[in-house]
Amino acid sequence: MSSIWEETARLPKFPSPDKDLKTDVLVIGGGISGILTAYFLEQKGVDYILVEKGRICSGVTKNTTAKITYQHNLIYNKLLKNNDADLASEYLNANKKAFNMYKKLCANIDCDYEIKNNYVYTLDAPDKIEKEISALNKIGYKAEFKNTLKLPFDIAGAICFPEQAQFHPLKFLSEISKNLNIYENTFIKEMIGNTAVADNIKIKADKVIVTTHFPFINKHGAYYLKLYQDRSHVIALENAQDVDGMYIDENTNGLSFRNYKDLLLIGGGAHRTGKDGCNWEKLRKFANLKYPNAKEVCHWATQDCMSLDSMPYIGHYSKRTLDLYTASGFNKWGMTGSMLAADILCDMVCGEKNEYSDVFSPSRSILHPQLLINGFEAAVNLMTFSKKRCPHLGCALKWNSDEHTWDCPCHGSRFEENGKLINNPANGDLKI
Ligand code: FES
Protein backbone atom coordinates (compact mmCIF):
# COMPACT_ATOMS: atom_id res chain seq x y z
CA MET A 1 0.00 0.00 0.00
CA SER A 2 2.47 2.66 -1.17
CA SER A 3 1.45 6.00 -2.61
CA ILE A 4 2.30 6.91 -6.19
CA TRP A 5 4.79 9.46 -4.76
CA GLU A 6 6.75 6.79 -2.87
CA GLU A 7 6.84 4.62 -5.98
CA THR A 8 8.31 7.36 -8.16
CA ALA A 9 10.83 9.30 -6.05
CA ARG A 10 14.03 8.63 -4.19
CA LEU A 11 14.71 10.60 -1.02
CA PRO A 12 18.21 11.39 0.29
CA LYS A 13 19.40 9.50 3.38
CA PHE A 14 20.77 11.14 6.52
CA PRO A 15 22.86 9.87 9.45
CA SER A 16 21.73 9.43 13.03
CA PRO A 17 23.70 11.17 15.80
CA ASP A 18 26.09 9.09 17.93
CA LYS A 19 26.65 11.68 20.67
CA ASP A 20 24.77 14.44 22.50
CA LEU A 21 24.22 17.61 20.47
CA LYS A 22 23.57 21.30 21.05
CA THR A 23 21.90 23.75 18.68
CA ASP A 24 20.12 27.09 18.59
CA VAL A 25 16.93 25.69 16.99
CA LEU A 26 15.80 22.07 17.08
CA VAL A 27 13.06 21.00 14.65
CA ILE A 28 11.40 17.69 15.64
CA GLY A 29 9.63 15.94 12.75
CA GLY A 30 10.84 15.46 9.17
CA GLY A 31 7.62 15.81 7.21
CA ILE A 32 6.95 18.69 4.85
CA SER A 33 6.44 21.29 7.62
CA GLY A 34 9.68 20.42 9.38
CA ILE A 35 11.72 20.24 6.18
CA LEU A 36 10.44 23.57 4.87
CA THR A 37 11.11 25.16 8.28
CA ALA A 38 14.66 23.78 8.26
CA TYR A 39 15.11 25.01 4.68
CA PHE A 40 14.19 28.60 5.61
CA LEU A 41 16.36 28.46 8.75
CA GLU A 42 19.26 27.32 6.54
CA GLN A 43 18.62 30.23 4.14
CA LYS A 44 18.78 32.66 7.07
CA GLY A 45 22.05 31.19 8.37
CA VAL A 46 20.49 29.98 11.65
CA ASP A 47 22.18 27.17 13.61
CA TYR A 48 19.58 24.36 13.57
CA ILE A 49 19.10 20.60 13.59
CA LEU A 50 16.13 18.66 12.25
CA VAL A 51 15.50 15.20 13.71
CA GLU A 52 13.11 12.59 12.34
CA LYS A 53 12.12 9.36 14.12
CA GLY A 54 12.41 7.23 10.96
CA ARG A 55 13.18 8.32 7.41
CA ILE A 56 12.13 11.81 6.28
CA CYS A 57 8.66 12.07 4.68
CA SER A 58 7.76 8.60 5.95
CA GLY A 59 4.59 9.79 7.69
CA VAL A 60 1.61 11.66 6.29
CA THR A 61 3.67 13.73 3.81
CA LYS A 62 4.11 10.76 1.45
CA ASN A 63 0.34 10.23 1.31
CA THR A 64 -0.95 13.68 0.36
CA THR A 65 -2.75 14.38 -2.92
CA ALA A 66 -0.39 17.38 -3.30
CA LYS A 67 -2.72 20.14 -4.44
CA ILE A 68 -1.33 23.63 -3.92
CA THR A 69 -4.30 25.94 -3.69
CA TYR A 70 -5.81 28.67 -1.55
CA GLN A 71 -9.31 27.35 -2.29
CA HIS A 72 -9.93 25.28 0.84
CA ASN A 73 -13.37 23.83 0.26
CA LEU A 74 -16.00 26.40 1.40
CA ILE A 75 -13.93 27.99 4.14
CA TYR A 76 -14.38 31.65 3.24
CA ASN A 77 -18.12 31.74 3.93
CA LYS A 78 -17.53 29.85 7.19
CA LEU A 79 -14.87 32.32 8.33
CA LEU A 80 -16.96 35.30 7.28
CA LYS A 81 -20.06 33.96 9.04
CA ASN A 82 -18.28 33.21 12.33
CA ASN A 83 -15.80 36.08 12.41
CA ASP A 84 -15.18 39.45 10.80
CA ALA A 85 -14.23 40.02 7.18
CA ASP A 86 -10.63 40.74 8.18
CA LEU A 87 -10.02 37.15 9.27
CA ALA A 88 -11.35 35.66 6.01
CA SER A 89 -9.28 38.14 4.05
CA GLU A 90 -6.12 37.43 6.08
CA TYR A 91 -6.65 33.68 5.60
CA LEU A 92 -6.88 34.19 1.84
CA ASN A 93 -3.81 36.42 1.70
CA ALA A 94 -1.73 34.15 3.92
CA ASN A 95 -2.50 31.13 1.76
CA LYS A 96 -1.87 33.12 -1.43
CA LYS A 97 1.55 33.99 -0.01
CA ALA A 98 2.22 30.27 0.64
CA PHE A 99 1.08 29.46 -2.92
CA ASN A 100 3.49 32.05 -4.34
CA MET A 101 6.36 30.72 -2.23
CA TYR A 102 5.84 27.29 -3.82
CA LYS A 103 5.69 28.86 -7.26
CA LYS A 104 9.06 30.50 -6.70
CA LEU A 105 10.73 27.40 -5.25
CA CYS A 106 9.25 24.98 -7.79
CA ALA A 107 10.50 27.11 -10.70
CA ASN A 108 13.98 25.67 -10.07
CA ILE A 109 13.06 22.14 -9.02
CA ASP A 110 12.11 19.22 -11.24
CA CYS A 111 8.97 18.18 -9.34
CA ASP A 112 6.23 17.85 -12.01
CA TYR A 113 4.79 21.23 -10.96
CA GLU A 114 1.81 22.12 -13.14
CA ILE A 115 -0.58 25.05 -13.12
CA LYS A 116 -4.19 23.79 -13.01
CA ASN A 117 -7.57 25.24 -12.12
CA ASN A 118 -9.03 24.11 -8.80
CA TYR A 119 -12.75 23.53 -8.36
CA VAL A 120 -15.08 22.96 -5.41
CA TYR A 121 -18.31 21.39 -6.65
CA THR A 122 -21.62 20.32 -5.20
CA LEU A 123 -24.00 17.56 -6.32
CA ASP A 124 -27.07 18.96 -4.57
CA ALA A 125 -26.50 22.25 -2.71
CA PRO A 126 -26.02 25.14 -5.16
CA ASP A 127 -26.95 27.59 -2.38
CA LYS A 128 -23.72 26.68 -0.56
CA ILE A 129 -21.73 27.52 -3.68
CA GLU A 130 -23.58 30.82 -4.10
CA LYS A 131 -22.87 31.76 -0.47
CA GLU A 132 -19.18 30.97 -0.88
CA ILE A 133 -19.01 33.09 -4.04
CA SER A 134 -20.71 35.96 -2.24
CA ALA A 135 -18.25 35.65 0.70
CA LEU A 136 -15.31 35.64 -1.71
CA ASN A 137 -16.63 38.67 -3.55
CA LYS A 138 -16.99 40.50 -0.21
CA ILE A 139 -13.32 39.98 0.58
CA GLY A 140 -12.29 41.09 -2.88
CA TYR A 141 -11.76 37.78 -4.70
CA LYS A 142 -13.75 37.52 -7.91
CA ALA A 143 -15.25 34.04 -8.08
CA GLU A 144 -17.69 32.63 -10.59
CA PHE A 145 -20.44 30.02 -10.57
CA LYS A 146 -19.89 27.08 -12.97
CA ASN A 147 -22.61 24.71 -14.16
CA THR A 148 -20.52 22.02 -15.80
CA LEU A 149 -17.15 20.41 -15.17
CA LYS A 150 -14.91 17.95 -16.97
CA LEU A 151 -16.02 15.14 -14.63
CA PRO A 152 -18.09 12.04 -15.52
CA PHE A 153 -21.27 13.19 -13.73
CA ASP A 154 -23.58 16.19 -13.50
CA ILE A 155 -23.08 18.78 -10.80
CA ALA A 156 -25.40 21.35 -9.23
CA GLY A 157 -22.73 24.06 -9.20
CA ALA A 158 -19.05 24.77 -8.70
CA ILE A 159 -16.55 27.56 -8.00
CA CYS A 160 -13.32 27.82 -9.92
CA PHE A 161 -10.05 29.24 -8.59
CA PRO A 162 -7.97 29.58 -11.75
CA GLU A 163 -4.23 28.92 -11.98
CA GLN A 164 -3.61 26.93 -8.83
CA ALA A 165 -1.04 24.09 -8.90
CA GLN A 166 -0.29 20.41 -8.39
CA PHE A 167 3.09 18.72 -8.06
CA HIS A 168 5.04 15.67 -6.94
CA PRO A 169 5.66 16.33 -3.22
CA LEU A 170 8.52 13.88 -2.71
CA LYS A 171 10.47 14.99 -5.79
CA PHE A 172 10.14 18.54 -4.42
CA LEU A 173 11.22 17.58 -0.88
CA SER A 174 14.02 15.38 -2.10
CA GLU A 175 15.64 18.45 -3.66
CA ILE A 176 14.74 20.86 -0.82
CA SER A 177 16.14 18.58 1.90
CA LYS A 178 19.37 17.37 0.34
CA ASN A 179 21.80 19.86 1.92
CA LEU A 180 19.99 20.37 5.21
CA ASN A 181 21.28 19.48 8.67
CA ILE A 182 19.06 16.45 9.21
CA TYR A 183 19.37 13.38 11.43
CA GLU A 184 17.17 10.37 10.71
CA ASN A 185 16.23 7.42 12.94
CA THR A 186 16.26 9.69 15.97
CA PHE A 187 13.06 9.21 17.92
CA ILE A 188 12.51 11.95 20.50
CA LYS A 189 10.61 10.29 23.33
CA GLU A 190 10.32 13.24 25.70
CA MET A 191 11.31 16.83 26.37
CA ILE A 192 12.96 17.84 29.64
CA GLY A 193 12.91 21.63 29.54
CA ASN A 194 14.62 22.51 26.26
CA THR A 195 16.41 19.17 26.04
CA ALA A 196 15.05 16.55 23.67
CA VAL A 197 15.64 13.00 24.83
CA ALA A 198 16.03 10.11 22.38
CA ASP A 199 17.01 6.52 23.26
CA ASN A 200 20.77 7.03 23.11
CA ILE A 201 21.38 10.77 22.93
CA LYS A 202 20.10 14.14 24.09
CA ILE A 203 19.84 17.37 22.10
CA LYS A 204 19.88 20.70 23.92
CA ALA A 205 18.40 23.66 22.09
CA ASP A 206 17.57 27.29 22.79
CA LYS A 207 14.31 26.96 20.83
CA VAL A 208 12.34 23.89 19.81
CA ILE A 209 9.84 23.53 16.97
CA VAL A 210 7.55 20.49 17.03
CA THR A 211 6.37 19.45 13.55
CA THR A 212 5.38 15.87 14.35
CA HIS A 213 1.99 15.95 12.54
CA PHE A 214 0.06 15.80 15.86
CA PRO A 215 2.01 17.76 18.54
CA PHE A 216 3.35 14.98 20.81
CA ILE A 217 3.88 16.88 24.08
CA ASN A 218 0.72 16.48 26.17
CA LYS A 219 1.43 18.76 29.08
CA HIS A 220 1.14 22.03 27.13
CA GLY A 221 -1.43 23.44 24.74
CA ALA A 222 -4.25 20.85 25.24
CA TYR A 223 -3.95 19.56 21.66
CA TYR A 224 -5.78 16.39 22.76
CA LEU A 225 -8.85 18.65 23.01
CA LYS A 226 -8.09 20.92 20.05
CA LEU A 227 -7.42 18.26 17.40
CA TYR A 228 -8.84 15.02 16.08
CA GLN A 229 -7.69 13.02 13.05
CA ASP A 230 -9.53 12.11 9.91
CA ARG A 231 -8.62 9.30 7.51
CA SER A 232 -9.21 9.38 3.77
CA HIS A 233 -8.36 7.12 0.88
CA VAL A 234 -6.94 7.40 -2.63
CA ILE A 235 -6.78 5.12 -5.68
CA ALA A 236 -4.64 5.75 -8.76
CA LEU A 237 -6.12 4.60 -12.08
CA GLU A 238 -4.51 3.95 -15.42
CA ASN A 239 -6.59 4.33 -18.58
CA ALA A 240 -9.24 6.51 -16.87
CA GLN A 241 -9.58 10.23 -17.80
CA ASP A 242 -7.63 13.46 -18.13
CA VAL A 243 -9.75 15.75 -15.92
CA ASP A 244 -7.45 18.75 -16.58
CA GLY A 245 -7.80 20.26 -13.11
CA MET A 246 -8.20 19.56 -9.41
CA TYR A 247 -11.65 18.97 -7.98
CA ILE A 248 -13.22 18.39 -4.58
CA ASP A 249 -16.81 17.85 -3.48
CA GLU A 250 -17.97 20.33 -0.83
CA ASN A 251 -19.63 17.38 0.93
CA THR A 252 -17.15 15.64 3.24
CA ASN A 253 -18.49 12.28 2.00
CA GLY A 254 -17.74 13.20 -1.61
CA LEU A 255 -14.83 12.60 -3.97
CA SER A 256 -11.75 14.48 -5.09
CA PHE A 257 -9.87 14.23 -8.39
CA ARG A 258 -6.56 15.17 -9.98
CA ASN A 259 -4.22 13.61 -12.52
CA TYR A 260 -0.59 12.70 -12.07
CA LYS A 261 0.88 12.23 -15.55
CA ASP A 262 -1.42 9.66 -17.22
CA LEU A 263 -2.97 8.47 -13.96
CA LEU A 264 -6.21 9.68 -12.40
CA LEU A 265 -6.11 9.99 -8.60
CA ILE A 266 -9.52 9.68 -6.95
CA GLY A 267 -9.79 10.50 -3.24
CA GLY A 268 -12.62 10.02 -0.76
CA GLY A 269 -14.05 7.64 1.83
CA ALA A 270 -13.21 10.08 4.63
CA HIS A 271 -14.05 9.30 8.25
CA ARG A 272 -12.78 10.07 11.72
CA THR A 273 -9.84 7.75 12.50
CA GLY A 274 -11.04 4.79 14.54
CA LYS A 275 -14.58 5.00 13.17
CA ASP A 276 -16.10 2.82 10.48
CA GLY A 277 -15.80 4.14 6.94
CA CYS A 278 -16.24 2.96 3.40
CA ASN A 279 -12.49 3.30 2.80
CA TRP A 280 -11.49 2.25 -0.77
CA GLU A 281 -14.72 0.40 -1.49
CA LYS A 282 -16.64 3.52 -2.47
CA LEU A 283 -13.81 4.69 -4.75
CA ARG A 284 -13.59 1.31 -6.49
CA LYS A 285 -17.36 1.17 -7.03
CA PHE A 286 -17.25 4.62 -8.60
CA ALA A 287 -14.27 3.69 -10.77
CA ASN A 288 -15.94 0.46 -11.98
CA LEU A 289 -19.06 2.39 -12.92
CA LYS A 290 -17.48 5.39 -14.63
CA TYR A 291 -14.19 3.99 -15.91
CA PRO A 292 -14.86 0.28 -16.60
CA ASN A 293 -11.69 -0.06 -18.70
CA ALA A 294 -9.42 1.54 -16.12
CA LYS A 295 -6.92 -0.40 -14.03
CA GLU A 296 -6.00 0.44 -10.43
CA VAL A 297 -2.22 0.75 -10.14
CA CYS A 298 -1.99 1.65 -6.48
CA HIS A 299 -4.00 2.74 -3.48
CA TRP A 300 -3.15 4.39 -0.21
CA ALA A 301 -4.68 6.26 2.72
CA THR A 302 -3.83 9.48 4.45
CA GLN A 303 -4.57 11.04 7.79
CA ASP A 304 -5.18 14.68 8.63
CA CYS A 305 -5.27 16.67 11.85
CA MET A 306 -8.49 18.67 12.10
CA SER A 307 -8.66 21.81 14.26
CA LEU A 308 -11.68 23.20 16.09
CA ASP A 309 -12.24 26.18 13.78
CA SER A 310 -10.91 24.89 10.41
CA MET A 311 -7.72 26.96 10.67
CA PRO A 312 -4.23 25.60 11.42
CA TYR A 313 -2.42 26.07 14.73
CA ILE A 314 0.95 27.71 14.05
CA GLY A 315 3.06 29.47 16.67
CA HIS A 316 3.95 29.11 20.36
CA TYR A 317 3.00 25.64 21.59
CA SER A 318 1.04 27.38 24.37
CA LYS A 319 0.93 30.87 25.86
CA ARG A 320 3.43 29.88 28.51
CA THR A 321 6.02 28.12 26.32
CA LEU A 322 7.98 30.97 24.83
CA ASP A 323 10.77 28.78 23.40
CA LEU A 324 8.55 25.94 22.22
CA TYR A 325 6.61 26.16 18.94
CA THR A 326 4.43 23.93 16.82
CA ALA A 327 2.38 23.64 13.63
CA SER A 328 -0.57 21.30 13.13
CA GLY A 329 -4.26 21.12 12.23
CA PHE A 330 -3.99 21.80 8.51
CA ASN A 331 -7.51 20.40 7.96
CA LYS A 332 -6.52 18.52 4.77
CA TRP A 333 -4.81 21.56 3.22
CA GLY A 334 -1.32 20.60 4.25
CA MET A 335 0.59 21.96 1.26
CA THR A 336 -0.18 25.64 1.81
CA GLY A 337 -0.50 24.99 5.57
CA SER A 338 3.01 23.64 5.89
CA MET A 339 4.52 26.44 3.80
CA LEU A 340 2.69 29.00 5.94
CA ALA A 341 3.92 27.24 9.06
CA ALA A 342 7.53 27.24 7.89
CA ASP A 343 7.36 30.95 7.03
CA ILE A 344 5.74 31.97 10.32
CA LEU A 345 7.83 29.72 12.60
CA CYS A 346 11.09 30.68 10.96
CA ASP A 347 10.31 34.37 11.48
CA MET A 348 9.19 33.77 15.07
CA VAL A 349 12.32 31.91 16.16
CA CYS A 350 14.45 34.58 14.48
CA GLY A 351 12.61 37.31 16.41
CA GLU A 352 11.16 38.79 13.22
CA LYS A 353 7.61 40.04 12.73
CA ASN A 354 5.35 37.90 10.58
CA GLU A 355 2.09 39.51 9.51
CA TYR A 356 0.15 36.24 9.96
CA SER A 357 1.50 34.99 13.30
CA ASP A 358 -1.52 36.26 15.28
CA VAL A 359 -4.04 34.84 12.78
CA PHE A 360 -2.93 31.24 13.32
CA SER A 361 -1.87 31.44 16.98
CA PRO A 362 -2.61 28.12 18.77
CA SER A 363 -3.67 30.15 21.82
CA ARG A 364 -6.82 31.52 20.16
CA SER A 365 -10.25 30.67 21.59
CA ILE A 366 -11.22 26.99 21.80
CA LEU A 367 -14.93 27.69 22.24
CA HIS A 368 -16.31 25.91 19.19
CA PRO A 369 -18.91 23.11 18.87
CA GLN A 370 -16.20 20.65 17.77
CA LEU A 371 -14.69 20.91 21.27
CA LEU A 372 -17.78 19.18 22.70
CA ILE A 373 -17.60 16.45 20.04
CA ASN A 374 -13.91 15.83 20.80
CA GLY A 375 -14.63 15.75 24.55
CA PHE A 376 -17.56 13.36 24.04
CA GLU A 377 -15.50 10.97 21.87
CA ALA A 378 -12.73 10.91 24.46
CA ALA A 379 -15.16 10.26 27.33
CA VAL A 380 -16.95 7.43 25.48
CA ASN A 381 -13.76 5.72 24.35
CA LEU A 382 -12.09 6.04 27.74
CA MET A 383 -15.06 4.20 29.25
CA THR A 384 -15.31 1.58 26.49
CA PHE A 385 -14.16 -1.91 27.48
CA SER A 386 -11.25 -3.20 25.44
CA LYS A 387 -8.03 -5.01 26.29
CA LYS A 388 -6.24 -2.93 23.68
CA ARG A 389 -5.70 0.54 25.20
CA CYS A 390 -3.95 3.41 23.44
CA PRO A 391 -0.62 4.32 25.05
CA HIS A 392 -1.36 8.02 24.43
CA LEU A 393 -4.12 8.67 26.98
CA GLY A 394 -5.70 5.25 27.38
CA CYS A 395 -8.69 5.17 24.98
CA ALA A 396 -10.04 1.85 23.67
CA LEU A 397 -8.49 0.98 20.30
CA LYS A 398 -10.56 -0.22 17.33
CA TRP A 399 -9.47 -2.91 14.87
CA ASN A 400 -9.30 -1.57 11.30
CA SER A 401 -9.92 -4.67 9.19
CA ASP A 402 -9.17 -2.96 5.85
CA GLU A 403 -5.72 -1.82 6.87
CA HIS A 404 -4.99 -4.42 9.60
CA THR A 405 -4.18 -1.77 12.17
CA TRP A 406 -5.28 -0.74 15.65
CA ASP A 407 -6.76 2.78 15.43
CA CYS A 408 -7.65 5.20 18.22
CA PRO A 409 -10.91 7.17 17.84
CA CYS A 410 -9.85 9.76 20.43
CA HIS A 411 -6.89 11.51 18.78
CA GLY A 412 -6.03 9.19 15.90
CA SER A 413 -2.95 7.23 16.98
CA ARG A 414 -2.52 4.06 14.89
CA PHE A 415 -0.51 0.87 15.34
CA GLU A 416 0.44 -2.08 13.18
CA GLU A 417 -1.01 -5.48 14.04
CA ASN A 418 2.18 -6.27 15.99
CA GLY A 419 1.85 -3.01 17.97
CA LYS A 420 4.41 -0.88 16.11
CA LEU A 421 3.48 2.82 16.17
CA ILE A 422 2.31 4.23 12.80
CA ASN A 423 0.69 7.58 13.59
CA ASN A 424 1.13 9.76 16.70
CA PRO A 425 0.24 11.45 19.14
CA ALA A 426 1.11 8.20 20.96
CA ASN A 427 4.87 8.32 21.33
CA GLY A 428 5.67 4.64 21.57
CA ASP A 429 4.52 1.20 20.51
CA LEU A 430 1.43 -0.63 21.71
CA LYS A 431 2.30 -3.49 24.03
CA ILE A 432 0.72 -6.64 22.61
FE1 FES B 1 -5.04 9.84 22.38
FE2 FES B 1 -5.35 7.35 21.67
S1 FES B 1 -4.59 8.94 20.49
S2 FES B 1 -5.81 8.27 23.56
Side-chain angles (χ1 to χ4, degrees), residues 58-290:
S58 59
V60 169
T61 297
K62 69 183 186 313
N63 294 332
T64 172
T65 49
K67 299 169 179 171
I68 309 171
T69 175
Y70 37 88
Q71 185 183 30
H72 295 174
N73 211 315
L74 304 181
I75 194 167
Y76 295 102
N77 185 43
K78 195 170 178 181
L79 293 180
L80 206 60
K81 205 166 70 188
N82 298 338
N83 307 279
D84 55 33
D86 284 352
L87 185 67
S89 175
E90 280 169 331
Y91 186 92
L92 174 66
N93 290 335
N95 282 287
K96 263 189 188 171
K97 180 182 179 188
F99 174 89
N100 287 326
M101 289 169 82
Y102 274 109
K103 195 171 177 180
K104 201 166 156 199
L105 285 173
C106 291
N108 300 313
I109 295 176
D110 179 9
C111 58
D112 304 322
Y113 180 90
E114 291 176 281
I115 297 288
K116 293 282 174 190
N117 292 350
N118 194 67
Y119 302 87
V120 175
Y121 66 87
T122 184
L123 298 180
D124 52 13
D127 55 314
K128 287 189 186 169
I129 298 293
E130 273 155 11
K131 281 182 189 152
E132 180 74 357
I133 289 174
S134 152
L136 283 162
N137 289 343
K138 271 188 200 134
I139 59 171
Y141 186 85
K142 287 259 164 292
E144 281 175 30
F145 191 93
K146 300 266 175 207
N147 290 310
T148 54
L149 294 178
K150 216 173 165 185
L151 291 176
F153 48 81
D154 291 335
I155 56 157
I159 313 166
C160 172
F161 273 37
E163 299 189 357
Q164 308 294 290
Q166 60 189 25
F167 72 156
H168 188 312
L170 298 192
K171 285 189 183 173
F172 170 74
L173 289 167
S174 170
E175 198 58 31
I176 286 282
S177 62
K178 69 181 183 192
N179 295 318
L180 300 181
N181 197 18
I182 293 176
Y183 290 101
E184 291 184 318
N185 301 308
T186 308
F187 190 177
I188 303 301
K189 298 280 177 67
E190 63 170 327
M191 293 296 303
I192 300 175
N194 278 13
T195 300
V197 182
D199 278 339
N200 303 323
I201 56 112
K202 294 186 177 112
I203 306 173
K204 195 166 168 20
D206 293 337
K207 293 175 193 282
V208 177
I209 299 175
V210 175
T211 51
T212 53
H213 186 58
F214 196 118
F216 76 99
I217 304 165
N218 293 323
K219 70 178 175 195
H220 305 294
Y223 290 94
Y224 49 84
L225 288 175
K226 296 197 292 201
L227 290 171
Y228 72 96
Q229 298 201 59
D230 205 74
R231 217 153 165 73
S232 47
H233 302 77
V234 187
I235 56 174
L237 299 178
E238 194 172 79
N239 200 22
Q241 184 189 359
D242 178 0
V243 293
D244 192 24
M246 304 175 287
Y247 305 81
I248 191 163
D249 191 329
E250 54 78 24
N251 187 319
T252 48
N253 295 320
L255 301 177
S256 77
F257 303 85
R258 68 159 279 192
N259 290 103
Y260 173 63
K261 298 197 169 168
D262 57 353
L263 300 177
L264 176 63
L265 312 188
I266 306 180
H271 58 88
R272 185 173 175 131
T273 303
K275 297 279 185 188
D276 291 337
C278 46
N279 301 344
W280 293 283
E281 194 189 312
K282 177 176 177 164
L283 309 181
R284 288 176 179 143
K285 263 191 193 156
F286 175 87
N288 285 340
L289 188 70
K290 300 293 181 182

Side-chain angles (χ1 to χ4, degrees), residues 8-27:
T8 52
R10 190 172 295 169
L11 289 159
K13 287 189 176 160
F14 299 92
S16 29
D18 52 9
K19 60 176 187 333
D20 291 352
L21 299 168
K22 213 168 166 291
T23 183
D24 288 350
V25 181
L26 172 64
V27 182

